[in-house]
Coordinates of all heavy atoms in Angstrom, one line a residue:
M1 N -7.0 35.5 8.5 CA -7.3 34.3 7.8 C -6.2 33.2 7.9 O -5.1 33.5 7.9 CB -7.5 34.7 6.3 CG -7.7 33.5 5.4 SD -8.1 34.1 3.7 CE -6.9 33.1 2.8
D2 N -6.6 32.0 8.2 CA -5.7 30.9 8.3 C -5.3 30.4 7.0 O -6.2 29.9 6.2 CB -6.3 29.8 9.2 CG -5.4 28.6 9.5 OD1 -4.2 28.8 9.2 OD2 -5.8 27.6 10.1
D3 N -4.0 30.4 6.6 CA -3.6 29.9 5.3 C -3.1 28.5 5.4 O -2.4 28.0 4.5 CB -2.5 30.8 4.8 CG -1.3 31.0 5.7 OD1 -1.1 30.2 6.6 OD2 -0.4 31.8 5.4
R4 N -3.4 27.8 6.5 CA -3.1 26.4 6.7 C -4.1 25.5 6.0 O -5.3 25.6 6.2 CB -3.0 26.0 8.1 CG -2.6 24.6 8.4 CD -2.5 24.3 9.9 NE -1.3 24.7 10.6 CZ -0.1 24.3 10.3 NH1 0.1 23.5 9.3 NH2 0.9 24.7 11.0
L5 N -3.7 24.7 5.1 CA -4.6 23.8 4.3 C -4.4 22.4 4.9 O -3.3 21.8 4.9 CB -4.2 23.8 2.9 CG -4.9 22.7 2.0 CD1 -6.4 23.0 1.9 CD2 -4.4 22.8 0.6
R6 N -5.5 21.8 5.4 CA -5.5 20.4 5.8 C -6.1 19.6 4.7 O -7.3 19.8 4.5 CB -6.2 20.3 7.2 CG -5.5 21.0 8.3 CD -6.2 20.7 9.6 NE -5.7 21.6 10.6 CZ -4.5 21.4 11.3 NH1 -3.9 20.3 11.1 NH2 -4.1 22.2 12.2
V7 N -5.4 18.7 4.2 CA -5.8 17.9 3.0 C -6.6 16.7 3.5 O -6.1 15.9 4.3 CB -4.7 17.5 2.1 CG1 -5.1 16.6 1.0 CG2 -3.9 18.7 1.6
G8 N -7.8 16.6 3.0 CA -8.7 15.4 3.4 C -9.5 15.1 2.1 O -10.7 15.4 2.1
G9 N -8.9 14.6 1.1 CA -9.6 14.4 -0.2 C -9.6 15.6 -1.1 O -10.1 15.5 -2.2
A10 N -9.0 16.7 -0.6 CA -9.0 17.9 -1.4 C -7.8 17.9 -2.5 O -6.9 17.2 -2.3 CB -8.8 19.1 -0.5
R11 N -8.0 18.6 -3.5 CA -6.9 18.7 -4.5 C -6.4 20.1 -4.4 O -7.1 21.1 -4.2 CB -7.5 18.5 -5.9 CG -7.9 17.1 -6.2 CD -8.3 16.9 -7.6 NE -8.8 15.6 -7.8 CZ -9.1 15.1 -9.0 NH1 -8.8 15.8 -10.1 NH2 -9.5 13.9 -9.1
G12 N -5.1 20.3 -4.7 CA -4.5 21.6 -4.7 C -3.1 21.5 -5.2 O -2.6 20.5 -5.7
Y13 N -2.4 22.6 -5.0 CA -1.0 22.7 -5.5 C -0.2 23.3 -4.4 O -0.6 24.2 -3.6 CB -0.9 23.7 -6.7 CG -1.8 23.2 -7.8 CD1 -3.1 23.6 -7.9 CD2 -1.3 22.4 -8.8 CE1 -3.9 23.2 -9.0 CE2 -2.0 21.9 -9.8 CZ -3.4 22.4 -10.0 OH -4.1 21.9 -11.0
V14 N 1.1 22.8 -4.3 CA 2.1 23.4 -3.4 C 3.3 23.7 -4.4 O 3.9 22.7 -4.8 CB 2.5 22.6 -2.3 CG1 3.5 23.3 -1.4 CG2 1.3 22.2 -1.4
V15 N 3.5 24.9 -4.7 CA 4.6 25.3 -5.6 C 5.8 25.5 -4.7 O 5.8 26.1 -3.6 CB 4.3 26.6 -6.3 CG1 5.4 27.0 -7.2 CG2 3.0 26.4 -7.2
N16 N 6.9 24.9 -5.1 CA 8.2 25.0 -4.4 C 8.1 24.5 -3.0 O 8.5 25.2 -2.0 CB 8.8 26.4 -4.5 CG 9.2 26.7 -5.9 OD1 9.6 25.9 -6.7 ND2 9.1 28.0 -6.2
P17 N 7.5 23.3 -2.7 CA 7.3 22.9 -1.4 C 8.7 22.6 -0.7 O 9.6 22.2 -1.3 CB 6.6 21.6 -1.5 CG 7.0 21.1 -2.9 CD 7.1 22.3 -3.7
R18 N 8.7 22.9 0.6 CA 9.8 22.7 1.5 C 9.3 21.8 2.6 O 8.3 22.1 3.3 CB 10.4 23.9 2.1 CG 11.0 24.9 1.1 CD 11.5 26.2 1.7 NE 10.7 26.7 2.8 CZ 9.5 27.3 2.7 NH1 9.0 27.6 1.5 NH2 8.9 27.8 3.8
L19 N 10.0 20.7 2.9 CA 9.6 19.8 4.0 C 10.1 20.5 5.3 O 11.3 20.8 5.4 CB 10.3 18.5 3.8 CG 9.9 17.4 4.8 CD1 8.5 17.0 4.7 CD2 10.8 16.1 4.5
V20 N 9.2 20.9 6.1 CA 9.5 21.6 7.3 C 9.4 20.9 8.6 O 9.9 21.3 9.7 CB 8.7 23.0 7.4 CG1 9.1 23.9 6.2 CG2 7.2 22.7 7.5
A21 N 8.7 19.8 8.6 CA 8.5 19.0 9.9 C 8.2 17.5 9.5 O 7.5 17.3 8.6 CB 7.4 19.6 10.7
T22 N 8.7 16.6 10.3 CA 8.4 15.2 10.3 C 8.4 14.7 11.7 O 9.0 15.2 12.6 CB 9.4 14.4 9.4 OG1 10.7 14.6 10.0 CG2 9.5 14.9 8.0
D23 N 7.7 13.5 11.8 CA 7.6 12.9 13.1 C 7.2 11.5 12.9 O 6.5 11.1 12.0 CB 6.6 13.6 14.0 CG 6.7 13.2 15.5 OD1 7.8 12.9 15.9 OD2 5.7 13.1 16.1
G24 N 7.7 10.6 13.8 CA 7.4 9.2 13.9 C 8.0 8.4 12.8 O 8.8 8.9 12.0
E25 N 7.5 7.2 12.7 CA 8.0 6.2 11.6 C 6.9 5.5 11.0 O 5.9 5.2 11.6 CB 9.0 5.2 12.2 CG 10.3 5.8 12.7 CD 11.2 4.7 13.2 OE1 10.8 3.6 13.5 OE2 12.4 5.0 13.3
Y26 N 7.0 5.3 9.7 CA 6.0 4.7 8.9 C 6.6 3.9 7.8 O 7.3 4.4 7.0 CB 5.1 5.8 8.2 CG 3.9 5.3 7.4 CD1 2.8 4.6 8.0 CD2 3.9 5.4 6.0 CE1 1.8 4.2 7.3 CE2 2.8 4.9 5.3 CZ 1.8 4.3 5.9 OH 0.7 3.9 5.2
D27 N 6.5 2.5 7.9 CA 7.1 1.6 7.0 C 6.1 1.2 6.0 O 4.9 0.9 6.3 CB 7.7 0.4 7.7 CG 8.8 -0.2 7.0 OD1 9.3 0.3 5.9 OD2 9.3 -1.3 7.4
G28 N 6.5 1.1 4.7 CA 5.6 0.6 3.7 C 6.2 0.5 2.4 O 7.3 1.0 2.2
E29 N 5.5 -0.1 1.4 CA 6.1 -0.3 0.1 C 6.0 1.1 -0.7 O 5.0 1.8 -0.5 CB 5.3 -1.3 -0.7 CG 5.9 -1.8 -2.0 CD 5.3 -3.0 -2.5 OE1 4.1 -2.9 -3.0 OE2 5.9 -4.0 -2.5
E30 N 7.0 1.3 -1.4 CA 7.1 2.6 -2.2 C 7.5 2.3 -3.6 O 8.3 1.3 -3.8 CB 8.1 3.5 -1.5 CG 8.0 5.0 -2.0 CD 8.6 6.0 -1.1 OE1 8.7 5.7 0.1 OE2 9.0 7.0 -1.6
A31 N 7.0 3.0 -4.5 CA 7.4 2.9 -5.9 C 7.4 4.3 -6.6 O 7.0 5.3 -5.9 CB 6.4 2.0 -6.7
C32 N 7.9 4.4 -7.8 CA 8.0 5.7 -8.5 C 8.1 5.5 -10.0 O 8.7 4.5 -10.5 CB 9.3 6.4 -8.0 SG 9.6 8.0 -8.7
L33 N 7.4 6.3 -10.7 CA 7.4 6.3 -12.1 C 8.8 6.5 -12.7 O 9.1 6.2 -13.8 CB 6.4 7.2 -12.7 CG 4.9 6.8 -12.5 CD1 4.0 7.9 -13.0 CD2 4.6 5.5 -13.1
S34 N 9.7 7.2 -11.9 CA 11.0 7.5 -12.4 C 11.9 6.2 -12.5 O 12.8 6.2 -13.2 CB 11.7 8.4 -11.4 OG 11.1 9.7 -11.5
V35 N 11.5 5.2 -11.8 CA 12.1 3.8 -11.9 C 11.0 2.8 -12.0 O 10.8 2.0 -11.1 CB 13.1 3.6 -10.7 CG1 14.4 4.3 -10.8 CG2 12.4 3.9 -9.3
A36 N 10.3 2.9 -13.1 CA 9.1 2.1 -13.3 C 9.3 0.6 -13.0 O 10.4 0.1 -13.5 CB 8.6 2.3 -14.7
G37 N 8.4 0.0 -12.3 CA 8.5 -1.5 -12.1 C 9.3 -1.8 -10.9 O 9.3 -3.0 -10.4
V38 N 10.0 -0.9 -10.3 CA 10.8 -1.2 -9.1 C 9.9 -0.7 -7.9 O 9.3 0.4 -7.9 CB 12.1 -0.4 -9.1 CG1 12.9 -0.6 -7.9 CG2 12.9 -0.8 -10.3
H39 N 9.9 -1.5 -6.8 CA 9.2 -1.2 -5.6 C 10.0 -1.8 -4.4 O 10.7 -2.8 -4.6 CB 7.8 -1.7 -5.6 CG 7.6 -3.1 -5.9 ND1 7.6 -4.1 -4.9 CD2 7.6 -3.8 -7.1 CE1 7.4 -5.3 -5.5 NE2 7.5 -5.1 -6.8
A40 N 9.9 -1.2 -3.3 CA 10.6 -1.7 -2.1 C 10.0 -1.1 -0.9 O 9.3 -0.1 -0.9 CB 12.1 -1.2 -2.2
M41 N 10.3 -1.8 0.3 CA 9.9 -1.3 1.5 C 10.8 -0.1 1.9 O 12.0 -0.1 1.6 CB 10.0 -2.4 2.6 CG 9.1 -3.5 2.4 SD 7.3 -3.1 2.4 CE 7.1 -2.7 4.1
R42 N 10.2 1.0 2.4 CA 10.9 2.2 2.7 C 10.4 2.8 3.9 O 9.2 3.1 4.0 CB 10.9 3.2 1.5 CG 11.4 4.5 1.8 CD 12.9 4.6 1.7 NE 13.4 5.8 2.3 CZ 13.6 7.0 1.6 NH1 13.3 7.1 0.4 NH2 14.1 8.0 2.3
L43 N 11.2 3.0 4.9 CA 10.8 3.7 6.1 C 10.8 5.2 5.9 O 11.7 5.8 5.4 CB 11.8 3.4 7.3 CG 11.5 3.9 8.6 CD1 10.2 3.2 9.2 CD2 12.7 3.6 9.6
R44 N 9.7 5.8 6.3 CA 9.5 7.2 6.2 C 8.9 7.8 7.5 O 8.6 7.0 8.3 CB 8.5 7.6 5.0 CG 8.9 7.3 3.6 CD 9.8 8.3 3.1 NE 10.0 8.2 1.7 CZ 10.6 9.0 0.9 NH1 11.2 10.1 1.5 NH2 10.8 8.8 -0.3
A45 N 8.8 9.1 7.6 CA 8.2 9.6 8.8 C 6.7 9.4 8.7 O 6.1 9.4 7.6 CB 8.5 11.1 8.8
A46 N 6.0 9.2 9.8 CA 4.6 9.0 9.8 C 3.8 10.3 9.6 O 2.7 10.2 9.2 CB 4.2 8.3 11.1
Y47 N 4.4 11.4 9.9 CA 3.8 12.7 9.8 C 4.8 13.6 9.0 O 6.0 13.5 9.2 CB 3.6 13.3 11.1 CG 3.3 14.8 11.1 CD1 2.0 15.3 10.8 CD2 4.3 15.7 11.3 CE1 1.8 16.7 10.7 CE2 4.1 17.1 11.2 CZ 2.8 17.6 10.9 OH 2.6 18.9 10.8
A48 N 4.3 14.4 8.1 CA 5.1 15.3 7.3 C 4.3 16.6 7.1 O 3.1 16.6 6.9 CB 5.5 14.7 6.0
C49 N 5.1 17.7 7.1 CA 4.5 19.0 6.8 C 5.3 19.7 5.8 O 6.6 19.8 5.9 CB 4.4 19.8 8.1 SG 3.7 21.5 7.9
V50 N 4.7 20.3 4.7 CA 5.4 21.1 3.8 C 4.8 22.5 3.7 O 3.6 22.7 3.9 CB 5.4 20.5 2.3 CG1 6.1 19.1 2.3 CG2 4.0 20.4 1.8
E51 N 5.7 23.4 3.4 CA 5.2 24.8 3.2 C 5.6 25.2 1.8 O 6.7 24.8 1.2 CB 5.9 25.8 4.2 CG 5.5 25.6 5.6 CD 6.3 26.5 6.5 OE1 7.3 27.2 6.1 OE2 5.9 26.5 7.7
G52 N 4.9 26.1 1.2 CA 5.2 26.6 -0.2 C 4.2 27.7 -0.5 O 3.6 28.3 0.4
V53 N 3.9 27.8 -1.8 CA 2.8 28.8 -2.2 C 1.9 28.1 -3.1 O 2.2 27.1 -3.7 CB 3.4 30.0 -2.9 CG1 4.3 30.8 -1.9 CG2 4.2 29.6 -4.1
D54 N 0.6 28.6 -3.2 CA -0.3 28.1 -4.1 C -0.1 28.7 -5.5 O 0.8 29.4 -5.8 CB -1.8 28.2 -3.6 CG -2.2 29.7 -3.6 OD1 -1.6 30.6 -4.2 OD2 -3.3 29.9 -2.9
V55 N -1.0 28.4 -6.5 CA -0.8 28.8 -7.8 C -1.0 30.4 -8.0 O -0.6 30.9 -9.0 CB -1.8 28.1 -8.8 CG1 -1.5 26.6 -8.9 CG2 -3.3 28.3 -8.4
H56 N -1.5 31.0 -6.9 CA -1.6 32.4 -6.9 C -0.5 33.1 -6.1 O -0.6 34.3 -5.9 CB -3.0 32.8 -6.4 CG -4.1 32.2 -7.1 ND1 -4.5 32.5 -8.4 CD2 -5.0 31.2 -6.8 CE1 -5.5 31.8 -8.8 NE2 -5.8 30.9 -7.8
G57 N 0.4 32.4 -5.6 CA 1.5 32.9 -4.9 C 1.3 33.1 -3.4 O 2.1 33.7 -2.7
R58 N 0.1 32.6 -2.9 CA -0.2 32.8 -1.5 C 0.4 31.6 -0.7 O 0.4 30.5 -1.2 CB -1.7 32.8 -1.3 CG -2.4 33.9 -1.9 CD -3.9 33.8 -1.7 NE -4.4 32.6 -2.3 CZ -5.5 32.6 -3.2 NH1 -6.1 33.7 -3.5 NH2 -5.9 31.5 -3.7
P59 N 0.9 31.9 0.5 CA 1.5 30.9 1.3 C 0.5 29.8 1.6 O -0.7 30.0 1.8 CB 1.9 31.6 2.6 CG 2.0 33.0 2.3 CD 1.0 33.2 1.1
V60 N 1.0 28.5 1.6 CA 0.2 27.4 1.9 C 1.0 26.4 2.7 O 2.2 26.2 2.5 CB -0.4 26.8 0.6 CG1 0.7 26.2 -0.3 CG2 -1.4 25.7 0.9
V61 N 0.3 25.7 3.6 CA 0.9 24.6 4.4 C 0.1 23.4 4.1 O -1.2 23.4 4.2 CB 0.9 25.0 5.9 CG1 1.4 23.8 6.7 CG2 1.8 26.2 6.1
V62 N 0.7 22.2 3.9 CA 0.0 21.0 3.7 C 0.7 20.0 4.7 O 1.9 19.8 4.7 CB 0.1 20.4 2.3 CG1 -0.6 19.0 2.2 CG2 -0.6 21.4 1.3
E63 N -0.1 19.3 5.5 CA 0.4 18.3 6.4 C -0.4 17.1 6.3 O -1.6 17.1 5.9 CB 0.4 18.9 7.8 CG -0.9 19.3 8.3 CD -0.8 20.0 9.7 OE1 0.2 20.0 10.3 OE2 -1.9 20.5 10.1
G64 N 0.2 16.0 6.6 CA -0.5 14.7 6.5 C 0.2 13.6 7.3 O 1.4 13.7 7.7
T65 N -0.5 12.5 7.4 CA 0.0 11.3 8.0 C -0.1 10.1 7.1 O -0.8 10.2 6.1 CB -0.7 11.0 9.4 OG1 -2.1 10.8 9.0 CG2 -0.6 12.1 10.4
G66 N 0.6 9.0 7.4 CA 0.5 7.8 6.6 C 1.0 8.0 5.2 O 2.0 8.6 4.9
E67 N 0.1 7.6 4.2 CA 0.5 7.6 2.8 C 0.6 9.1 2.3 O 1.5 9.4 1.4 CB -0.5 6.9 1.9 CG -0.4 5.4 2.1 CD 1.0 4.8 1.7 OE1 1.5 5.1 0.6 OE2 1.5 4.1 2.5
L68 N -0.2 10.0 2.8 CA 0.0 11.4 2.4 C 1.4 11.9 2.9 O 2.1 12.6 2.1 CB -1.1 12.3 3.0 CG -1.0 13.8 2.6 CD1 -0.8 14.0 1.1 CD2 -2.1 14.6 3.2
A69 N 1.8 11.6 4.1 CA 3.1 11.9 4.6 C 4.2 11.4 3.7 O 5.2 12.0 3.3 CB 3.3 11.5 6.0
R70 N 4.0 10.1 3.3 CA 5.0 9.4 2.4 C 5.1 10.2 1.1 O 6.1 10.5 0.6 CB 4.6 8.0 2.1 CG 5.5 7.3 1.1 CD 5.0 5.8 0.8 NE 5.0 5.0 2.0 CZ 6.0 4.5 2.7 NH1 7.2 4.7 2.2 NH2 5.9 3.8 3.7
C71 N 3.9 10.6 0.5 CA 3.9 11.3 -0.8 C 4.6 12.7 -0.6 O 5.4 13.1 -1.5 CB 2.5 11.5 -1.3 SG 1.7 10.0 -1.8
L72 N 4.3 13.4 0.4 CA 4.9 14.7 0.6 C 6.5 14.6 0.7 O 7.2 15.4 0.1 CB 4.4 15.4 1.9 CG 2.9 15.8 1.9 CD1 2.5 16.2 3.3 CD2 2.7 16.8 0.8
Q73 N 6.9 13.6 1.4 CA 8.4 13.3 1.5 C 9.0 12.9 0.1 O 10.0 13.4 -0.3 CB 8.7 12.3 2.6 CG 8.3 12.8 4.0 CD 8.3 11.6 4.9 OE1 9.3 11.3 5.5 NE2 7.1 11.1 5.2
H74 N 8.3 12.0 -0.5 CA 8.7 11.5 -1.8 C 8.9 12.6 -2.8 O 9.9 12.7 -3.5 CB 7.7 10.4 -2.3 CG 8.0 9.8 -3.6 ND1 8.4 8.5 -3.7 CD2 7.9 10.2 -4.9 CE1 8.6 8.2 -5.0 NE2 8.3 9.2 -5.7
E75 N 7.9 13.4 -2.9 CA 7.9 14.5 -3.9 C 8.9 15.6 -3.6 O 9.6 16.1 -4.5 CB 6.5 15.1 -4.1 CG 5.5 14.1 -4.7 CD 6.0 13.4 -6.0 OE1 6.6 14.1 -6.8 OE2 5.6 12.3 -6.2
T76 N 9.1 15.9 -2.3 CA 10.1 16.9 -2.0 C 11.5 16.3 -2.2 O 12.4 17.1 -2.5 CB 10.0 17.5 -0.6 OG1 10.0 16.4 0.4 CG2 8.7 18.3 -0.4
D77 N 11.7 15.0 -2.1 CA 13.0 14.4 -2.4 C 13.3 14.7 -3.9 O 14.5 15.0 -4.2 CB 12.9 12.9 -2.2 CG 13.0 12.5 -0.7 OD1 13.2 13.3 0.1 OD2 12.8 11.3 -0.5
H78 N 12.3 14.5 -4.7 CA 12.6 14.8 -6.2 C 13.1 16.2 -6.4 O 14.0 16.3 -7.3 CB 11.3 14.6 -7.0 CG 10.9 13.2 -7.3 ND1 11.7 12.3 -7.9 CD2 9.8 12.5 -7.0 CE1 11.1 11.1 -8.0 NE2 9.9 11.2 -7.5
L79 N 12.7 17.1 -5.7 CA 13.1 18.5 -5.9 C 14.6 18.7 -5.5 O 15.2 19.6 -5.9 CB 12.2 19.5 -5.1 CG 10.8 19.5 -5.6 CD1 10.0 20.5 -4.7 CD2 10.7 20.0 -7.0
R80 N 15.1 17.8 -4.7 CA 16.5 17.8 -4.3 C 17.3 16.8 -5.2 O 18.5 16.5 -4.9 CB 16.7 17.4 -2.8 CG 16.2 18.4 -1.9 CD 16.5 18.1 -0.4 NE 16.2 16.8 0.0 CZ 15.0 16.4 0.4 NH1 14.0 17.3 0.5 NH2 14.8 15.1 0.8
G81 N 16.7 16.3 -6.2 CA 17.3 15.3 -7.1 C 17.5 13.9 -6.6 O 18.3 13.2 -7.1
E82 N 16.7 13.6 -5.6 CA 16.8 12.2 -5.0 C 15.6 11.4 -5.4 O 14.5 11.8 -5.5 CB 16.8 12.4 -3.5 CG 18.0 13.2 -3.0 CD 17.9 13.5 -1.5 OE1 17.0 12.8 -0.8 OE2 18.6 14.3 -1.0
L83 N 15.9 10.1 -5.6 CA 14.8 9.0 -5.8 C 14.8 8.2 -4.5 O 15.8 8.1 -3.8 CB 15.2 8.2 -7.0 CG 15.3 8.9 -8.3 CD1 15.8 7.9 -9.4 CD2 14.0 9.5 -8.7
Y84 N 13.6 7.6 -4.3 CA 13.5 6.8 -3.1 C 14.5 5.7 -3.0 O 14.9 5.3 -2.0 CB 12.0 6.3 -2.9 CG 11.7 5.0 -3.7 CD1 11.8 3.8 -3.1 CD2 11.4 5.1 -5.0 CE1 11.5 2.7 -3.8 CE2 11.1 4.0 -5.7 CZ 11.2 2.7 -5.1 OH 10.9 1.6 -5.8
V85 N 14.9 5.1 -4.2 CA 15.8 4.0 -4.2 C 17.2 4.5 -3.7 O 18.0 3.6 -3.3 CB 15.9 3.3 -5.6 CG1 14.6 2.6 -5.9 CG2 16.3 4.3 -6.7
D86 N 17.5 5.7 -3.8 CA 18.8 6.2 -3.4 C 19.0 6.0 -1.9 O 20.2 5.9 -1.5 CB 18.9 7.7 -3.7 CG 18.9 8.1 -5.1 OD1 19.3 7.2 -6.0 OD2 18.6 9.2 -5.5
A87 N 18.0 5.9 -1.1 CA 18.1 5.7 0.3 C 18.1 4.3 0.7 O 18.3 3.9 1.9 CB 17.0 6.5 1.1
L88 N 17.8 3.4 -0.2 CA 17.8 1.9 0.1 C 19.2 1.5 0.4 O 20.1 1.9 -0.3 CB 17.1 1.1 -1.0 CG 15.7 1.5 -1.3 CD1 15.2 0.6 -2.5 CD2 14.8 1.3 -0.1
T89 N 19.3 0.5 1.2 CA 20.7 -0.1 1.5 C 20.6 -1.6 1.6 O 19.5 -2.2 1.6 CB 21.2 0.4 2.9 OG1 20.3 0.0 3.9 CG2 21.4 1.9 2.9
G90 N 21.7 -2.2 1.5 CA 21.8 -3.7 1.7 C 21.0 -4.5 0.7 O 20.9 -4.1 -0.4
E91 N 20.4 -5.6 1.3 CA 19.7 -6.5 0.4 C 18.4 -5.8 -0.2 O 18.0 -6.1 -1.3 CB 19.3 -7.8 1.2 CG 18.6 -8.8 0.4 CD 19.3 -9.2 -1.0 OE1 20.5 -9.2 -1.0 OE2 18.6 -9.4 -2.0
G92 N 17.8 -4.9 0.6 CA 16.6 -4.2 0.0 C 17.0 -3.5 -1.2 O 16.2 -3.5 -2.2
R93 N 18.1 -2.8 -1.3 CA 18.5 -2.1 -2.4 C 18.9 -3.0 -3.6 O 18.5 -2.8 -4.7 CB 19.7 -1.2 -2.1 CG 20.2 -0.4 -3.3 CD 21.4 0.6 -2.9 NE 21.9 1.3 -4.1 CZ 21.4 2.4 -4.6 NH1 20.3 2.9 -4.1 NH2 21.9 2.9 -5.6
R94 N 19.6 -4.1 -3.3 CA 20.0 -5.1 -4.3 C 18.7 -5.7 -4.9 O 18.6 -5.8 -6.1 CB 20.9 -6.1 -3.7 CG 22.3 -5.6 -3.5 CD 23.3 -6.7 -3.1 NE 23.0 -7.2 -1.8 CZ 23.5 -6.7 -0.6 NH1 24.2 -5.5 -0.7 NH2 23.2 -7.2 0.5
A95 N 17.8 -6.1 -4.1 CA 16.6 -6.7 -4.6 C 15.8 -5.7 -5.5 O 15.3 -6.1 -6.5 CB 15.7 -7.2 -3.4
A96 N 15.6 -4.5 -5.0 CA 14.9 -3.5 -5.8 C 15.6 -3.3 -7.2 O 14.9 -3.2 -8.2 CB 14.8 -2.2 -5.1
L97 N 16.9 -3.2 -7.2 CA 17.6 -2.9 -8.4 C 17.7 -4.1 -9.4 O 17.9 -3.9 -10.6 CB 18.9 -2.3 -8.1 CG 18.9 -0.9 -7.4 CD1 20.3 -0.4 -7.1 CD2 18.1 0.1 -8.2
R98 N 17.4 -5.3 -8.8 CA 17.4 -6.5 -9.7 C 16.0 -6.7 -10.4 O 15.9 -7.5 -11.2 CB 17.7 -7.7 -8.9 CG 19.2 -7.9 -8.6 CD 19.4 -9.3 -8.1 NE 18.6 -9.7 -6.9 CZ 19.1 -9.6 -5.6 NH1 20.3 -9.2 -5.4 NH2 18.2 -9.9 -4.6
M99 N 15.0 -6.0 -9.9 CA 13.6 -6.1 -10.5 C 13.6 -5.8 -11.9 O 14.2 -4.8 -12.3 CB 12.6 -5.2 -9.7 CG 12.3 -5.7 -8.3 SD 11.1 -4.6 -7.6 CE 11.1 -5.3 -6.0
P100 N 12.9 -6.6 -12.7 CA 12.8 -6.3 -14.2 C 12.0 -5.0 -14.4 O 11.0 -4.8 -13.7 CB 12.1 -7.5 -14.7 CG 11.4 -8.2 -13.6 CD 12.2 -7.8 -12.4
R101 N 12.6 -4.1 -15.2 CA 11.9 -2.9 -15.5 C 10.6 -3.2 -16.2 O 10.4 -4.1 -17.0 CB 12.7 -2.0 -16.4 CG 14.1 -1.6 -15.9 CD 13.9 -0.7 -14.7 NE 13.5 0.6 -15.2 CZ 14.0 1.8 -15.0 NH1 15.0 1.8 -14.2 NH2 13.5 2.9 -15.5
G102 N 9.5 -2.4 -15.8 CA 8.2 -2.6 -16.4 C 7.3 -3.6 -15.6 O 6.2 -3.7 -15.9
A103 N 7.9 -4.2 -14.5 CA 7.1 -5.1 -13.7 C 6.2 -4.2 -12.9 O 6.4 -3.0 -12.7 CB 8.0 -5.9 -12.7
R104 N 5.0 -4.7 -12.4 CA 4.1 -4.0 -11.7 C 4.4 -4.1 -10.2 O 4.6 -5.2 -9.7 CB 2.7 -4.4 -12.0 CG 2.3 -4.1 -13.4 CD 0.9 -4.5 -13.6 NE 0.4 -3.8 -14.8 CZ -0.8 -3.4 -14.9 NH1 -1.6 -3.5 -14.0 NH2 -1.1 -2.7 -16.1
P105 N 4.2 -3.0 -9.4 CA 4.4 -3.2 -7.9 C 3.5 -4.2 -7.4 O 2.3 -4.4 -7.8 CB 4.0 -1.8 -7.4 CG 4.3 -0.9 -8.6 CD 4.0 -1.7 -9.8
G106 N 4.0 -5.0 -6.4 CA 3.1 -6.0 -5.8 C 3.1 -7.3 -6.6 O 2.5 -8.3 -6.3
G107 N 3.9 -7.4 -7.7 CA 4.0 -8.6 -8.5 C 2.8 -8.8 -9.4 O 2.7 -9.9 -10.1
A108 N 1.9 -7.9 -9.5 CA 0.7 -8.1 -10.4 C 1.0 -7.9 -11.8 O 1.9 -7.2 -12.2 CB -0.4 -7.2 -9.9

């Protein structure tokens, strides 16, 4: 039985995910409820793969591209105690940290 899960609109769980592979580059706006109202452009891998277990303790692999890859990387960063703003540098970091808290991403 193949325990590889390819997510395409499916819902599921990955307990204790570990980022095991990335590839390419994908730039886009990122935000996080941990720093509500702050958003910034953030370069991420275009492809990401995580391994972990499901809610029953069975091995599971989730891989994705684009926004799913961004989410997989973003959430595994949290498990290492990192926020996406920690990786921002220069004017991008200064601009993000000057944003008023509670503002909506995209200025809406």
